[in-house]
Amino acid sequence: MIRRTLPLLAVLVLTLGVTACGDKKPAAPSTPASPAQPAGPGEPVAENAGDGGSEQLPDEPLPTDPVDPVASPQPTPPSPPVPIDFAHNEAGSLIPGSGSGYLDRTVWSPQMCFPFEETAYANSQVHGPGGYKGPAGTSQCNAAAYSLPWRDNFCETRGYASPLCANGKGHQGQDIRPATCKKGVHWVVAAEAGTITDIGSYSVTLTGSAAPHRVYRYLHLQMSTLSVAEGANVARGARLGRASNDFGSTPTTIHMHFELRAGVAGVSTDGKPVMVHTFLPPYLSLVESYRRKINGGSCS
Amino acid sequence: MGPWRPIALSGLLFAVLTLPAASQTAPPSPASGPGTARPTADQPRFQAQTAPRVTRPPPQRQPEPGAQGGAPQGGIDWKSAVTGARRSEGDQALLGKIDRDAIDRTAVPILLPADPALTGNARLYSFGDYYSLTADLSGVGVSLTGTTTTVTLPAQSPLKMSADAPEQLVIQRTVDGQLASFVRFGVLYTVEVRCDDPKDVRCRNDGLVRQIQSQTNRVVMGQAARQAAGLGARP
């Protein structure tokens, strides 16, 4: 009986002791037990971070080998999680033969929300599959158009003015295919908080509330099923409508043409100061926002 | 067995026993606010891509300090703007149904076209140092904006445009229309036309946008602009 009861008592004592330990409040931030990394608001704080990992989070590895306490009195801090990345070509690297890309690497909308609710594929709808300058005999629904890597197409050869492009003309935005080659299915969302200042027959214009009041234009949505009306104030990440191929009386391929505009101060080619409201390259803002998205970032 | 193994085992036992408590202190999952990207049953779930990058480009640059919203060099030429506003005081009919509160919130001189057909149904969206006026013609959307905030381009990235045009007027053909950008009173203004039909000749050439831009010469200053100009609240 005693032999049967003793182990049970031992477990009870251990459990009570552990519970009591669990009731301890975390040490005051001013007296850390060890030089732990500062944690941001809402982040889990490791109690007694230097005691051998007793409070390690479940997904962190526990030490399995003996550690020399003299040589290494502190356990090696866990490596920060490796961010997930995705395959994409460099900014300014256009499809060969489709023009000269814009090479500066400024991220013009650093906190932008990725403008699709799901995955999406930035590439060229003109020089890619199904495009009128794309590979012969391909369909717009070709798998190559719906796979990585991404490809920049700002400044791709066009007749449209675009003062940042090498010859002053070129594609004024980025073509983005939705998750699948289906129109009216995939949600497009607000890149930042702002107001819908215009809705055209195949365009939605969002003006950012905060300076510098970037203007985002979304073209070729399914205009008959938009979620917003002109004048609507929208939160970052709010649904605007679904990607489609609306383009007046002649549909285009299923994609969203995404533009980023702002007032720009710079110098002209002859070195004089100028101001112009024009098109900024959105590619790197898209890359950064998509990277945040696949790493669990939220737009809300 | 080394001296540290029992400690490690104790640590493991401790971690297992306290896991529920630890989970209670974990940060809550992000709230599902308006527009949060959240797949639903009828939508494909977002698939994270883990393929390596195709290239390893040089580090990306954040805009230079002040590059994301600086005011134009030299500030607003309030003297000229006030003169323009006084000349336009007889054109109150142009204001039509434009929201007077939005006018009063706008801290830059507002330019209006001298065409009641354009302004009569216009809607003004004010962001203080930026405004956007939206109007309609038959088959054509018209937008006028004004701002004192700009981003600054890197010096090695010149704009392919001439600085010699009057008021730095630049006409840019867009996917769906024409965009005129110009500088007056030290403020950056635009006039843009967008056609319902991309083949509409009014958007294929710059005649219409130039016509509207040339007649966009009426000046309205609301309360915020008048205060910024050092005037009283109302004329």
Side-chain angles (χ1 to χ4, degrees):
Chain A
M1 179 69 180
I2 292 174
R3 267 188 296 178
R4 191 174 295 172
T5 318
L6 271 177
L8 287 174
L9 281 171
V11 169
L12 182 61
V13 167
L14 178 62
T15 305
L16 287 172
V18 165
T19 307
C21 288
D23 287 340
K24 284 181 184 171
K25 290 183 178 177
S30 59
T31 56
S34 68
Q37 293 294 317
E43 292 178 338
V45 179
E47 261 188 290
N48 302 320
D51 71 351
S54 63
E55 283 288 323
Q56 287 183 16
L57 296 176
D59 59 346
E60 294 173 338
L62 288 168
T64 54
D65 294 324
V67 179
D68 182 346
V70 175
S72 303
Q74 301 293 331
T76 304
S79 300
V82 178
I84 303 170
D85 210 336
F86 69 103
H88 58 279
N89 290 280
E90 283 187 51
S93 173
L94 309 188
I95 291 177
S98 69
S100 298
Y102 182 74
L103 299 176
D104 180 74
R105 299 187 57 75
T106 303
V107 181
W108 288 108
S109 186
Q111 301 305 317
M112 189 175 87
C113 171
F114 185 65
F116 272 92
E117 202 166 75
E118 306 157 64
T119 193
Y121 303 96
N123 52 42
S124 170
Q125 66 99 20
V126 169
H127 292 265
Y132 74 96
K133 290 187 176 178
T138 56
S139 154
Q140 64 164 315
C141 295
N142 187 294
Y146 288 85
S147 45
L148 299 174
W150 279 16
R151 173 79 77 172
D152 191 356
N153 82 326
F154 184 76
C155 288
E156 191 175 76
T157 302
R158 297 283 197 286
Y160 306 142
S162 199
L164 267 68
C165 299
N167 66 355
K169 292 183 178 180
H171 192 227
Q172 298 161 335
Q174 176 67 47
D175 295 332
I176 311 174
R177 321 248 188 183
T180 68
C181 191
K182 292 180 180 176
K183 61 182 181 180
V185 173
H186 304 291
W187 284 102
V188 164
V189 301
E192 68 172 84
T195 301
I196 303 300
T197 50
D198 181 73
I199 293 182
S201 63
Y202 53 93
S203 67
V204 173
T205 302
L206 166 65
T207 301
S209 298
H213 309 294
R214 300 177 191 86
V215 175
Y216 302 90
R217 293 222 309 156
Y218 303 76
L219 271 64
H220 316 306
L221 306 188
Q222 187 174 63
M223 302 303 289
S224 60
T225 62
L226 288 183
S227 297
V228 291
E230 187 196 306
N233 295 316
V234 296
R236 182 171 177 263
R239 287 176 166 178
L240 305 181
R242 297 176 175 92
S244 189
N245 60 351
D246 287 21
F247 190 33
S249 55
T250 308
T252 179
T253 62
I254 297 168
H255 77 285
M256 194 259 283
H257 169 99
F258 183 70
E259 283 178 11
L260 170 57
R261 300 180 183 177
V264 170
V267 293
S268 61
T269 42
D270 51 359
K272 296 178 181 173
V274 287
M275 286 200 301
V276 63
H277 183 93
T278 194
F279 309 90
L280 292 166
Y283 186 74
L284 286 177
S285 302
L286 289 163
V287 168
E288 289 296 302
S289 62
Y290 190 67
R291 193 177 277 144
R292 283 193 292 273
K293 181 179 182 66
I294 63 178
N295 281 282
S298 168
C299 287
S300 59
Chain B
M1 179 182 287
W4 293 94
R5 183 155 297 175
I7 295 176
L9 290 171
S10 300
L12 179 62
L13 179 62
F14 185 83
V16 169
L17 287 171
T18 56
L19 188 58
S23 69
Q24 289 169 13
T25 62
S29 57
S32 178
T36 300
R38 186 172 292 278
T40 57
D42 61 338
Q43 297 167 343
R45 185 164 289 277
F46 177 82
Q47 296 292 321
Q49 303 284 349
T50 56
R53 298 173 70 116
V54 170
T55 57
R56 186 167 292 281
Q60 293 167 9
R61 296 190 326 106
Q62 296 293 311
E64 298 294 326
Q68 298 267 22
Q73 288 182 342
I76 297 177
D77 175 4
W78 285 112
K79 185 177 178 183
S80 299
V82 169
T83 301
R86 287 183 176 145
R87 286 181 184 153
S88 305
E89 283 174 2
D91 296 317
Q92 293 300 307
L94 283 178
L95 296 179
K97 299 174 184 172
I98 297 174
D99 181 357
R100 300 303 197 271
D101 288 340
I103 291 175
D104 281 339
R105 288 196 304 272
T106 305
V108 298
I110 298 170
L111 286 185
L112 294 178
D115 181 359
L118 262 177
T119 59
N121 64 0
R123 289 83 66 194
L124 178 64
Y125 304 105
S126 176
F127 302 86
D129 54 1
Y130 181 102
Y131 73 84
S132 181
L133 186 82
T134 305
D136 306 299
L137 295 173
S138 177
V140 180
V142 180
S143 290
L144 298 96
T145 70
T147 187
T148 54
T149 60
T150 57
V151 298
T152 304
L153 279 186
Q156 70 274 18
S157 182
L159 289 154
K160 311 303 182 300
M161 59 180 280
S162 168
D164 297 331
E167 298 187 321
Q168 299 182 22
L169 175 63
V170 177
I171 309 287
Q172 299 165 86
R173 173 80 165 96
T174 67
V175 175
D176 53 353
Q178 303 275 345
L179 170 64
S181 168
F182 59 103
V183 179
R184 188 178 300 168
F185 315 135
V187 177
L188 179 61
Y189 292 102
T190 67
V191 174
E192 180 174 11
V193 297
R194 292 170 306 278
C195 291
D196 291 348
D197 181 352
K199 298 172 184 170
D200 191 324
V201 68
R202 293 175 293 179
C203 285
R204 292 178 72 91
N205 66 51
D206 61 9
L208 177 61
V209 77
R210 282 186 185 277
Q211 176 191 334
I212 298 174
Q213 191 272 336
S214 67
Q215 66 170 349
T216 299
N217 50 21
R218 301 301 195 266
V219 183
V220 176
M221 290 171 56
Q223 190 169 344
R226 293 180 60 80
Q227 286 177 346
L231 304 177
R234 284 290 178 196

